[in-house]
Structure formats: structure tokens, C-alpha cells
Amino acid sequence: MSDRIRLEFLGQGRPAEAFDPPAAGRVIVLGRPSAEQRPDVPLADPGVSRRHAELSFADGAWTIVSAGKTGTLVDGELVAAGQRRLLEHGSVLQIGPFGMRVDLGKAGRSGALETLGFTDAAAGARAMQVPRAELERLAELRLSSLIAASARINAAADEQGVLEAVAAILCESRDFERAAVIGLAGTDDDAPWKPLAVAPPEAVARGGAFSRTLLAAARDARAMVQLEDDLRFRAAESMIGTSAAICTPLVTGPGAPRLFVYADCRAGVRPAAAAIPFANLVAQLAGAAIGTAEQRKLVGDLEQARLIQKRLMPEEEGVRGHVRWVRFSRAADTRVSGDFFAVVDAADGRVAAALGDVAGKGAGAGLVMAAAVTHLDTSVRMGLAVEEAVTAVSDFFARRPSFEVATAGFITAIAVEVHPDGRCRGVDAGHAYAAIVRADGRAERLVFPSNMTMVGLFEGIRYEADGFELAPGDRIVLFSDGVVEQPGPTGDRLCPNFADDASTVVSALEGSRSAADDVSRLRELLARHASGLPWEDDVTIASIEYRP
């Protein structure tokens, strides 16, 4: 028996992907392709992470590990990031809008459950097993209908359009007399249920209750449930006249489901045998479509945050008083960077520059970055010395422990002030990544003897400044840890211990004659070391030149 795995795409018109077990220590990557890397199974959609899931083989079995932020659906159940799930023949994977059936070339296992049937037994509801192999056979009968349903769902303009499409598809299948999507307004057991879409239209006017028992069972099981045609159900008021009914959660992402697909038949009508798996797959397609739309909205929100952040940063090149700067910044995967760079001119003729790195990534780190830049700018403009400005920013964050939720609550930074006569004072708040390049091209590490702790770590830190001097044409080069900590193909960091050995960076800067050349040399150094690997962290490089 072969150990080969085959992924069959559902409703995509795309050829299947097949793989032999990878070598020990290797995995098969499913994710969104990019210019830097192409996964083994490319899934081109904004809602898919670059490394969304990984398939591995050990001890005769295939497993999947979810690595994407939104998780992966396996047979309709969410596998959160970092969790592992054993794959069986016939398992259905859902990543963003992509549905994939797992073919291991083996017979289905009769004990595996796809659907739960509930009857109103005296001791409570009892579950009835439906073999997966039978459900697979029935689902294949509806493949053409499923492809049409997928196109209709994905053509919907918004979430309400998706819900209305689902209700209409199930009703038009003629398996069910009535179909609906019902929302749960809250997380409590007694939270109210609200119909959000009902088909056919006359069913709304005709009325008729939906079974709370059925809805609650689907909510608790997080899987499809079915009410059997049993005389004991006729005692339930909501089920009078109902011959069959199903309910399944519509999973849109991590967390408890909030939407449920409900369909029923009356007057003795029974749905066709393939109706149950068909309804289940329609619900999975709808959940994926809504989840993808939510991810696209999140991407849009992040893009807005990126634009706001860009406006807070100085231009890539500029002059302020006796200081000229050149800057390069690039965020990691999240679009919103935790790095910041600021240039501020004070009323007394000083020009201050600061580069820092907020702990954490994404929107939370971007929020703290914006607050830090704003507070620092205000403090310098009010006339505070550079060490007093950094102290003020640190106390601001230390008094607000809620920032720890998103960012681990601290910032590393270097802030310097350059006076018109070339005198400089600088504060190293746990950052260390700085160099001086003289006008003649000599480069050396810029050391701050006081070497204070990180910004925002705790309240009451009083920062001290160290003095140094610049001659005309001399430059201060600041950069974030995304430069020195970038791994190469063998896993080695570019400059693993900058405080003890900065020679890699200093050598790259040696001989540079301009601020633009400084930035270009460090970018080239980073690119050479990465050797085609994606840059792992946010990267910011800035060169500040003294020009009296």
C-alpha cells in the first residue's frame, strides 16, 4: 500500500497535487506564494498566510500542522495555529477559499463520524454514526451542484449576500422545503437566536418555529446535527409536522461559531440521501467565503494603518536645519511595522533623531510606535533635552500596562540630539545598533557608555545622555535588529552579538562617502546574507549627516 498523499481540489477546476512522504525533518508547505518563496501547494489568496499549514509523515501516518493565523479547517473543525491533526483518507481541508479532499489510497474508516443524528430518547439525545465512506460517495453525486454553489457563494457582494445564497441553494436543491441561516446574538447559553436569511420568500410569511434543541446541539457539537423522523419528536412544539431537519455551524474562523445553517422538511417529505453531505459542504464553502472577506477587510484595515504610519515617518530623504537624513524602512509580513524613525527640530536650534523597535509585530506594535513618535516629537518641541524626552516616553508607557497585551510593553531605541556646532548627546535605551561614519569614510561602532534599559519597562527610570562630536560630513547610522538578526540559509545570524563584535556592519560601512551610500551598503549586506530568504523582521536603516 502506497504512503503517497493526494490533495484533490473541490470545485476549483484545478488538478490534484500528489506527494510522496518527505525526507525526515522536512514538511510539505501549503500557503500563499510570494516573490521571496513558493510553497509546495500554492494557494493564491489574501486570506491565506505565506506558510499556512504543513503536512508531515511519520510512523505510517500523515498529519497536518496549522501555522496560519486564521487556522485551518479539517472536516469542518478548526485546527488553530500550532495545533496538529491526524489526517484520514477522505478528510476535507479548508484553507481560505480552497477546499481539498485528502486521498491516501485507502478504504474509509467506518468508525469516523461526519454527521451526528439526534433523537429525543428518554435519557437525552443519542448520536447515530454515519460512516465517512458513505458520505463521500453521496457527496460525489453532487459535485456539479457543489461547483455551481461555490460560484454563487463567491459571487455574493457581502456577508448578507452569502447568507441569502446559502439559504436559496439548499432550498432550490429540492431536498428541503425551508432553509435558513440563523445567527446567535451572544455567547451565553440563553442568548437569542435570530433568522438572518430564509428561503423560499414565502416561508417567512408562512412562519413556523426553528428548533432551539437542534440549534443548541449544533452549537455545542460544532458539527452538523440531524433530527430523525421519530414519533417522540412530535411532542416538541417546534417540530410538529416536521419530518426531517438538519443544522450545521457556519465556521468563519477561530472562536465559537456565530452563524448556523438550518434546513427542514414537512408533511412527510424526506431529503435525498446526498442532501446531508451536500448541505455540510455548502456551509463550509460559505464559512470560507465569509472568513476570506473578513480577512480582506482586516488586510484593508492594516493597509490604512500602514498609510497612517507612513505619514508619521519622515520622508525617505530630507533636510532639517543642520541635519540631512536618508532612511529605508520595510515591514515584515504584517504590513504595519513596529520600527519607528523620527526627526524633530527644537526651538533652541537642536535637531533630534530617534530610531526604535517596539516589542511585538502587527497592528498592536504599530499603535505603540505611533504613540511613541507622537510623544517624543511633542517632548522635544517643548524644549526637553533628549534624555528627558526619552524618560517622558518611558513613563507614559509604564503607566499604561494595557499596552503589554499587544506588545510585551517595551521599546528599544536610540535617540540623539545634534547641536548647530556639532556637539551631540545621545541615549541608548537597550538598542545598541549604531555606528559613526566619518566624512573621509572611516567607520566605527557608536558606543553609549551609559547604555540604559528599555523604554517602558517600568516607571521611574531616569535616562542619562552621553556626549560625542561630529565634524561636517560625519554621519550617525542607526538601524533596527531586523538587520543584525536576519538568518541566512544555514540559520546563522548576520551579526549575532553586535555589542561584542560589530565588524560585519562596520566593514560594510567602511569607505562610504554619503548618507545614501550608508543605507545602500547595509541593505546590500542584508540581502547578501539572506540569500533569497524572506526578511524575517521589520527593517529600518537611517543615516543622519551633520551639515552646518
Side-chain angles (χ1 to χ4, degrees), residues 434-438 442-446 468 470 475-477:
I436 283 185
V437 182
R438 301 296 178 182
R442 290 179 294 115
E444 60 185 298
R445 182 186 166 210
L446 177 57
F468 58 97
L470 294 178
R475 303 176 303 277
I476 302 168
V477 181

Side-chain angles (χ1 to χ4, degrees), residues 14-26:
R14 173 174 168 176
E17 301 265 9
F19 300 93
D20 291 319
R26 301 294 296 270

Side-chain angles (χ1 to χ4, degrees), residues 302-321:
L302 287 175
E303 181 64 15
Q304 288 298 314
R306 186 191 68 81
L307 292 174
I308 293 170
Q309 188 177 63
K310 182 179 178 180
R311 293 183 181 122
L312 285 173
M313 295 272 264
E315 297 296 327
E316 292 185 355
E317 297 185 28
V319 177
R320 194 154 293 171

Side-chain angles (χ1 to χ4, degrees), residues 69 145 264 369 471:
K69 296 178 181 178
S145 298
D264 59 12
M369 169 270 185

Side-chain angles (χ1 to χ4, degrees), residues 72-163:
T72 301
L73 291 176
V74 178
D75 295 327
E77 296 183 7
L78 181 68
V79 181
Q83 292 184 346
R84 182 180 297 273
R85 182 67 59 85
L86 181 68
L87 294 179
E88 298 177 331
H89 177 72
S91 290
V92 175
L93 313 181
Q94 190 75 42
I95 297 177
F98 299 94
M100 291 161 280
R101 178 180 176 273
V102 175
D103 182 0
L104 300 179
K106 303 173 183 179
R109 301 180 185 181
S110 60
L113 295 181
E114 180 80 10
T115 305
L116 294 175
F118 278 81
T119 60
D120 194 18
R126 65 181 177 83
M128 300 176 59
Q129 296 185 1
V130 181
R132 184 190 300 278
E134 176 66 9
L135 290 172
E136 290 170 6
R137 185 186 68 80
L138 296 174
E140 289 172 357
L141 299 177
R142 295 294 183 92
L143 183 57
S144 60
S145 298
L146 193 63
I147 293 173
S150 175
R152 187 169 177 178
I153 288 169
N154 285 300
D158 52 23
E159 179 174 311
Q160 182 61 31
V162 172
L163 305 187

Side-chain angles (χ1 to χ4, degrees), residues 472-484:
D474 289 350
R475 303 176 303 277
I476 302 168
V477 181
L478 306 176
F479 46 95
S480 61
D481 60 1
V483 175
V484 297

Side-chain angles (χ1 to χ4, degrees), residues 118-403:
F118 278 81
T119 60
D120 194 18
R126 65 181 177 83
M128 300 176 59
Q129 296 185 1
V130 181
R132 184 190 300 278
E134 176 66 9
L135 290 172
E136 290 170 6
R137 185 186 68 80
L138 296 174
E140 289 172 357
L141 299 177
R142 295 294 183 92
L143 183 57
S144 60
S145 298
L146 193 63
I147 293 173
S150 175
R152 187 169 177 178
I153 288 169
N154 285 300
D158 52 23
E159 179 174 311
Q160 182 61 31
V162 172
L163 305 187
E164 292 172 358
V166 169
I169 288 167
L170 294 184
C171 185
E172 292 168 7
S173 70
R174 302 192 179 186
D175 292 308
F176 304 97
E177 291 184 301
R178 179 179 65 165
V181 180
I182 300 174
L184 181 60
T187 56
D188 300 334
D189 289 342
D190 56 353
W193 300 89
K194 180 181 178 181
L196 302 176
V198 181
E202 55 268 26
V204 179
R206 188 168 62 237
F210 298 98
S211 171
R212 291 179 178 273
T213 303
L214 187 63
L215 287 162
R219 176 197 63 198
D220 296 341
R222 297 196 181 190
M224 177 179 280
V225 294
Q226 174 189 0
L227 285 172
E228 286 292 310
D229 185 15
D230 192 298
L231 290 176
R232 284 167 289 187
F233 273 114
R234 301 186 186 279
E237 183 178 349
S238 62
M239 299 306 296
I240 293 176
T242 299
S243 54
I246 63 164
C247 185
T248 186
L250 201 157
V251 180
T252 60
R258 59 183 177 87
L259 301 170
F260 297 82
V261 176
Y262 188 109
D264 59 12
C265 303
R266 294 173 178 266
V269 177
R270 295 300 303 269
I276 293 173
F278 177 74
N280 197 35
L281 289 173
V282 168
Q284 289 186 39
L285 287 171
I290 293 174
T292 299
E294 291 174 347
Q295 283 298 309
R296 286 175 176 155
K297 182 179 183 301
L298 176 60
V299 168
D301 291 343
L302 287 175
E303 181 64 15
Q304 288 298 314
R306 186 191 68 81
L307 292 174
I308 293 170
Q309 188 177 63
K310 182 179 178 180
R311 293 183 181 122
L312 285 173
M313 295 272 264
E315 297 296 327
E316 292 185 355
E317 297 185 28
V319 177
R320 194 154 293 171
H322 49 276
V323 163
R324 178 180 183 273
W325 74 85
V326 175
R327 168 186 66 85
F328 167 77
S329 298
R330 196 177 93 172
D333 270 350
T334 58
R335 292 175 179 253
V336 182
S337 175
D339 291 353
F340 66 85
F341 176 65
V343 181
V344 187
D345 50 346
D348 58 7
R350 293 173 300 139
V351 177
L355 188 146
D357 184 3
V358 177
K361 295 181 181 179
L367 174 65
V368 175
M369 169 270 185
V373 169
T374 303
H375 205 293
L376 184 68
D377 185 286
T378 303
S379 299
V380 172
R381 291 184 186 278
M382 289 175 58
L384 294 184
V386 66
E387 68 271 22
E388 294 170 336
V390 175
T391 296
V393 174
S394 181
D395 284 346
F396 173 80
F397 285 111
R399 288 193 298 266
R400 290 163 174 79
S402 58
F403 276 106

